[in-house]
Amino acid sequence: MAGERHDLLRGLIIHERPLFALLADDSAVAPMLEQVRQRVGGVVERIASGDHAGAAEQFVETVVLGPGSWAQLPPEYKKIMMDNAPTFLDEAKDPEQLVFELEWIKEFTRPALLTLGDQSPPIFGPVVGKLAEAMPRAEVLKFPGAGHIPHATHPDVYAKAIIEFVRMHS
C-alpha cells in the first residue's frame, strides 16, 4: 500500500520485517537464510503435530529471541503465542507470505523509520539495509541492548523513539 497509495500515509515505521526474499540472491547471507528456514520448518512441524506450546517455545528460543528467552516471557505473551500458532501455520503454508519487491517501495517519498535491535538475529540487519537503500527518506535506528521485540523488552526507549519520529515529521 505504501508504494501504490503513498498519499494515504504520512510515513512508515517498520521494525525487523522478515522480508527474507529480499536476500535470496545474496550469497553472503545464504547460510543464515538456510538456518532460519530450518528453524522455522521445525516450528511449523511442531504446530502441525498439535504441540502449540512446544512450538511457541521453540520459535522464541531458536528463531527470534534465543536460548532462555521463553522462561523470561510473561505468561500472557506465552498464551498469545500459543493461541496464534495455527495462524502462524497458515502463514507458513502461503508461498507468497514473505514476497516483497523493492520496486514496490522506491516511490514512497514520505518519512520512514526502520528499526532493529542490536541483539536481534543477524538476518534482520541485511533486510533493514535493503529497505533503507530503496526508500528515499528512510532513517535507520538501532536499539542498543534490544532484540527482536524492543516494544516488550525496552518499551520506554522504543515508545520515545516512535514519538520523536512522529513529532519530527508531523
Side-chain angles (χ1 to χ4, degrees), residues 13 161-170:
I13 299 171
I162 301 305
I163 291 167
E164 285 179 12
F165 176 78
V166 169
R167 283 185 180 151
M168 185 172 26
H169 297 288
S170 292

Side-chain angles (χ1 to χ4, degrees), residues 33-146:
L33 283 174
E34 178 57 23
Q35 184 179 55
V36 169
R37 189 192 66 71
Q38 288 179 3
R39 289 178 178 182
V40 169
V43 171
V44 167
E45 287 177 17
R46 207 158 180 180
I47 296 170
S49 77
D51 182 8
H52 296 178
E57 181 175 353
Q58 185 175 342
F59 180 74
V60 168
E61 298 273 328
T62 67
V63 179
V64 292
L65 298 180
S69 299
W70 181 254
Q72 296 175 24
L73 290 178
E76 59 271 16
Y77 279 36
K78 292 178 181 179
K79 181 177 181 341
I80 290 168
M81 294 186 79
M82 290 182 280
D83 290 347
N84 288 333
T87 301
F88 185 83
L89 180 60
D90 289 342
E91 290 174 353
K93 290 178 181 179
D94 178 356
E96 295 185 11
Q97 71 155 328
L98 301 177
V99 172
F100 190 85
E101 300 291 333
L102 290 175
E103 289 74 35
W104 297 345
I105 203 77
K106 286 184 177 182
E107 300 300 318
F108 188 78
T109 58
R110 310 256 171 143
L113 177 63
L114 310 176
T115 64
L116 69 159
D118 72 354
Q119 300 301 305
S120 293
I123 195 69
F124 289 110
V127 171
V128 169
K130 293 244 184 211
L131 288 172
E133 288 174 16
M135 300 174 74
R137 294 184 60 197
E139 302 170 29
V140 176
L141 178 61
K142 189 178 281 192
F143 295 104

